[in-house]
Amino acid sequence: MERTLLAIETSCDETSVAIVRGPGAVDDPTAGHSGFAPTEVLANVVTSQIDLHAVFGGVVPEVASRAHLDKLEAVTEEALEAAGIAAEDIDAVAATCGPGLIGALLIGVSAAKAFSLAWGVPYVGVNHMEGHLFATFLEQPDLELPLVVLLVSGGHTMLVEVRRPGVYRYLGSTTDDAAGEAFDKVARYLGLGYPGGPIIDRLATEGDREAVNFPRGIIDEGLDFSFSGMKTAVVNFVRRHPHVSNADIAASFQEAVVDVLVTKAIRAGHKVGARTLCLGGGVAANSRLRERFAEAAAEEGFAALVPDRAFCTDNAAMIGAAALWRLANDGATPLDSGADPSLKLTLT
Ligand code: KG4
Ligand code: ZN
């Protein structure tokens, strides 16, 4: 059954509302098909709070909650208008219910529940990480399974095997900092600003990626990651070599992180016999990672999906896609369910 769904994402520092349309699930998926039905994104409005947090060098939870509250109504109206949809045409509402900042999550969840009651339509609570996984299906619902997704964001770094939507297995994760956190901390140390990922990405294009041979964390072992030592190596190097340009440091650090991420994604793909390798999360917007990931996957015989940048960083369209699928498969979420800042992906 085709539905028009309004989705809200407020887990961190982006206030986003999307309108998506689709049945969520395919009635009779062929073997190897994901089972997720093609979905139309009618609107995907994302407003960032970066300017509000930049002066503090990172996200301030209370500032984030207040800004979501401030912006959500206008962003919702903008999304409905962009989609050319009236509130009466909405069949379901969804919101990210975790993981994330609790105050920020509660703004989106409370708004979605209020819409659900006011409009008399079902509510779906969505796991933010499942949303990032669905960003891949959103673009290509008939991806060949099983697939391995490298999810790299400001809060998470993980390799997940997706046998089909809803059936996940963790293959590896970070033992300390997340990849995005490492980019942000290195940028802060170099005095480049916040968030560090996009700034380092840009600066790296002017630098020599072979200028400094930074350590590659635990690149030779297993599928877990460690980025904290790489960040410390940058700090120690810069102290000893203050004359080396920030562009060379940025390019060399980025190359080291990308080396580790790509090596482990390929190793994970081989380990589970994946057909497809996908990227997700904010760090998947990184130009060098996108280039190296696609090249390496092709060389090793995997299909690769590198989603559009707009679906990599936090956005409500991916939450809407996951919600349509959940609604078709599991039904609505009870209105007395809450928000959970450390919600885990349900593994099957
Ligand atoms: O997924 P996301 O938007 O929010 C979280 O769920 O965390 O990811 C944000 C993270 C930040 O650490 C940011 O620095 C990083 O993604 N990021 C990038 C790039 N764009 C965003 N890292 C490297 N290169 C980029 N181009
Ligand atoms: Zn995210």
Side-chain angles (χ1 to χ4, degrees):
M1 172 188 150
E2 178 140 302
R3 291 186 177 92
T4 304
L5 181 142
L6 180 144
I8 302 175
E9 155 62 38
T10 61
S11 66
C12 191
D13 60 347
E14 332 273 353
T15 312
S16 179
V17 176
I19 315 287
V20 294
R21 183 179 284 160
V26 173
D27 281 343
D28 261 325
T30 50
H33 188 284
S34 73
F36 180 62
T39 296
E40 212 183 331
V41 179
L42 302 177
N44 184 31
V45 181
V46 183
T47 53
S48 173
Q49 308 174 356
I50 281 172
D51 295 350
L52 294 176
H53 300 287
V55 284
F56 301 104
V59 177
V60 182
E62 183 62 21
V63 173
S65 313
R66 286 170 189 269
H68 286 309
L69 192 55
D70 218 30
K71 286 184 180 169
L72 192 53
E73 195 180 340
V75 175
T76 304
E77 276 168 14
E78 195 182 330
L80 286 168
E81 201 171 311
I85 290 283
E88 306 84 81
D89 301 325
I90 298 292
D91 303 310
V93 290
T96 302
C97 61
L101 303 168
I102 186 64
L105 289 166
L106 282 171
I107 305 292
V109 165
S110 309
K113 288 179 179 176
F115 288 140
S116 159
L117 284 169
W119 297 339
V121 297
Y123 159 73
V124 190
V126 176
N127 182 310
H128 181 78
M129 303 317 287
E130 186 165 56
H132 275 302
L133 294 176
F134 266 82
T136 57
F137 298 122
L138 189 55
E139 290 209 303
Q140 213 174 302
D142 57 351
L143 277 176
E144 275 201 275
L145 302 171
L147 54 104
V148 165
V149 184
L150 171 65
L151 261 184
V152 270
S153 72
H156 296 87
T157 302
M158 53 175 82
L159 280 161
V160 183
E161 179 190 1
V162 180
R163 299 210 189 132
R164 56 190 160 80
V167 182
Y168 312 121
R169 182 158 70 111
Y170 282 128
L171 301 170
S173 60
T174 181
T175 53
D176 40 57
D177 290 351
E181 198 180 347
F183 272 100
D184 294 342
K185 285 180 176 171
V186 165
R188 192 185 314 166
Y189 177 72
L190 297 175
L192 299 175
Y194 174 84
I199 301 172
I200 289 187
D201 193 352
R202 230 172 4 248
L203 190 60
T205 58
E206 296 157 23
D208 174 4
R209 44 187 181 246
E210 286 169 14
V212 190
N213 186 19
F214 286 122
R216 263 61 174 160
I218 42 175
I219 195 166
D220 295 325
E221 299 155 37
L223 297 173
D224 286 331
F225 303 88
S226 172
F227 293 109
S228 141
M230 295 169 72
K231 172 201 68 197
T232 309
V234 173
V235 173
N236 290 338
F237 181 88
V238 172
R239 279 201 191 122
R240 285 197 313 271
H241 305 89
H243 56 281
V244 176
S245 73
N246 276 350
D248 282 352
I249 303 284
S252 303
F253 168 71
Q254 176 176 277
E255 198 64 12
V257 173
V258 168
D259 249 358
V260 175
L261 292 174
V262 170
T263 303
K264 302 244 171 178
I266 297 289
R267 188 176 296 152
H270 285 308
K271 183 175 174 190
V272 304
R275 306 295 299 264
T276 312
L277 298 186
C278 303
L279 264 183
V283 181
N286 183 270
S287 331
R288 184 69 180 147
L289 176 59
R290 297 168 76 82
E291 181 185 322
R292 292 264 322 267
F293 188 85
E295 271 169 23
E299 268 167 29
E300 298 283 330
F302 298 105
L305 178 69
V306 178
D308 190 287
R309 281 187 170 83
F311 295 137
C312 291
T313 45
D314 287 351
N315 68 90
M318 68 183 193
I319 302 302
L324 280 176
W325 188 84
R326 281 280 163 204
L327 195 54
N329 283 274
D330 306 334
T333 306
L335 284 182
D336 62 358
S337 67
D340 180 353
S342 42
L343 186 66
K344 299 277 178 285
L345 262 184
T346 310
L347 307 179
T348 321

